[in-house]
Amino acid sequence: MPPAIDPGHFFQTETSIAETSRRARKATNSHGDPIRLPSKVLAIAADPADAGRVYVAESAGVIRRVILATKDTSHAYRGPASNAPITCLALTLGGGRKQRPVVVIGGCWDRRVWVWHAETRAVQRTLEGHVDLVKAVLYVPHDGGRDLVISGAADGTIIVWALEDGTKLCVFKGGYRGAGAAAAAGGEGHPRGILDLAVDPVASSTTADGRLSLSLFGAGSEREIRRWTVTFPPPLLPPPPPPPPPPPPAAAGKDDPRRQQVVGEVVSAAHETSVNRVRFDEDGDLWTASSDKTCRCLVRDDGWKANVELAHPDFVRDVLVDEQGGMIITACRDEEVRVWDRGSGKLHHTFSGHFEEVTALVLLLPGRGVRTLVSGSIDGTVRRWSLRGGDIERDRLSGVMEGGGEGGKEEEREKEKDDLMTEEERRELEELMDDKEGE
């Protein structure tokens, strides 16, 4: 290893040396049948065409289509020449009334949204408009008009694009004050960077005249969760031949998307700090993962107040709702994946295997009732965990999981403390313990 990157050529505390040693030992484990990738895993999405494949966004500026059974990469989607990290991704559903092809969409540190054809891997277009790194992307199908891509970035801005040609349809601006602030400032919205977006499935719909009404929730580097509401009028449909030049237009009316909800309405401030993930469940309630070390359920019918709080020892990076199994699954910075009983809020069990922060989760339902959880981590691995009751119990007995989550890790820490003691110090400690027992 070159001296410039060899840790041995730099000052390190005993704590950092012990932590490096712990991770090196843990990296050899095979829990979750790891698929090892060349760089950090930042996001995962299920393949809509095949339940045995996932798409993985990496810090090396590539998205890979991974076949879980063989651990092979069948496709790699590259774009940023600088290998800038791809932080988020989304996939189109394919098929439908418009016979859509499957398209891969990735948000990148280079401030662009990249769009690839899933099979040819060709870059179809790039969407440019943000002035800081893109952290969230969504795909919204619209059979009555143009399909949408929605992106959110560290500049506090949300942009709605037409997928077919990259037209910028709507911009929600926040109070960003970083590099390029002059281009992004204006309006009221997220004062800091956006970390995640979700479309409200209950409040969003297509009207009888083909207009798309969207209720969009945004979360970011502040504690507030905001809601944006916009109805795209008929101009969202493929435009007719241009008419003769009209008279000078009046001010935009209430049906113009530029005039609708220019202010992001704060719907919740339940958390103490950054909200990393927002996901709706089938009841229309909102599950959130936050850096305040909690996962919460915000109830629609109670004004988005939290009625469930799941406490963690570190930042919570992702949350999933397993509707079929009645479980809540969370990813934490402490390297663990936790499964909670949705009804009681109690920790059911913990999947241990990653040796760095867990960044992403996806639930696969390949049929036959078998539910498979896939997790990705900064450690560069993708791991799979069966949620079937018998498999969970077998893993529990074999030591892959520690019910309660922290037992195995505490034992590992205690062992590390012992390893740092000399033989003389260990004998002295044993003598002190013997004296204490004799008192």
Side-chain angles (χ1 to χ4, degrees), residues 204-228:
S204 302
S205 63
T206 300
T207 62
D209 60 356
R211 297 194 297 174
L212 181 63
S213 176
L214 279 184
S215 178
L216 181 68
F217 279 58
S221 300
E222 74 275 5
R223 61 182 299 210
E224 293 85 7
I225 297 172
R226 285 174 163 77
R227 175 173 58 198
W228 307 83

Side-chain angles (χ1 to χ4, degrees), residues 13-324:
T13 64
E14 290 185 351
T15 301
S16 65
I17 292 173
E19 179 65 9
T20 300
S21 176
R22 181 192 70 81
R23 286 178 173 169
R25 292 197 302 272
K26 191 176 180 183
T28 62
N29 83 84
S30 60
H31 300 165
D33 193 16
I35 300 171
R36 304 185 188 278
L37 299 174
S39 61
K40 300 174 182 178
V41 176
L42 303 182
I44 303 178
D47 187 337
D50 188 334
R53 302 187 305 212
V54 294
Y55 288 77
V56 181
E58 296 185 34
S59 61
V62 62
I63 294 176
R64 300 180 192 276
R65 188 166 79 182
V66 178
I67 303 171
L68 297 176
T70 63
K71 302 185 180 182
D72 294 329
T73 297
S74 64
H75 289 63
Y77 307 88
R78 304 180 186 275
S82 61
N83 293 328
I86 297 178
T87 61
C88 49
L89 74 155
L91 300 168
T92 65
L93 301 178
R97 185 189 306 172
K98 301 189 324 187
Q99 292 299 305
R100 306 173 179 91
V102 176
V103 171
V104 182
I105 305 163
C108 184
W109 271 28
D110 68 359
R111 303 176 293 182
R112 290 181 284 184
V113 177
W114 292 76
V115 180
W116 295 268
H117 190 285
E119 295 306 322
T120 67
R121 290 166 283 180
V123 176
Q124 293 189 327
R125 66 189 53 86
T126 58
L127 310 178
E128 301 186 26
H130 291 292
V131 298
D132 208 335
L133 55 94
V134 180
K135 298 300 294 288
V137 290
L138 290 178
Y139 163 68
V140 181
H142 183 205
D143 281 336
R146 289 183 282 182
D147 294 347
L148 307 179
V149 174
I150 306 175
S151 58
D155 59 14
T157 299
I158 299 170
I159 302 179
V160 183
W161 317 79
L163 176 60
E164 64 182 6
D165 58 10
T167 301
K168 188 185 299 182
L169 300 174
C170 200
V171 180
F172 303 138
K173 296 182 179 179
Y176 176 69
R177 291 294 179 269
E188 292 186 34
H190 288 276
R192 299 183 182 178
I194 292 167
L195 298 176
D196 199 27
L197 299 168
V199 172
D200 183 344
V202 174
S204 302
S205 63
T206 300
T207 62
D209 60 356
R211 297 194 297 174
L212 181 63
S213 176
L214 279 184
S215 178
L216 181 68
F217 279 58
S221 300
E222 74 275 5
R223 61 182 299 210
E224 293 85 7
I225 297 172
R226 285 174 163 77
R227 175 173 58 198
W228 307 83
T229 303
V230 61
T231 298
F232 291 99
L236 188 61
L237 302 173
K254 65 178 182 179
D255 288 334
D256 190 313
R258 295 170 297 173
R259 295 294 300 273
Q260 297 188 52
Q261 286 286 9
V262 295
V263 176
E265 173 192 5
V266 176
V267 297
S268 175
H271 288 285
E272 299 299 323
T273 186
S274 304
V275 180
N276 301 310
R277 188 75 73 226
V278 285
R279 294 186 190 267
F280 284 95
D281 62 19
E282 289 185 354
D283 296 328
D285 295 331
L286 188 67
W287 289 85
T288 60
S290 171
S291 294
D292 67 5
K293 304 181 182 181
T294 67
C295 166
R296 306 187 188 207
C297 178
L298 309 184
V299 181
R300 177 186 300 273
D301 293 337
D302 195 21
W304 303 109
K305 294 179 182 177
N307 74 340
V308 174
E309 178 180 320
L310 308 177
H312 292 68
D314 211 329
F315 297 174
V316 188
R317 293 303 191 192
D318 202 354
V319 58
L320 281 181
V321 181
D322 177 9
E323 302 281 0
Q324 183 178 333

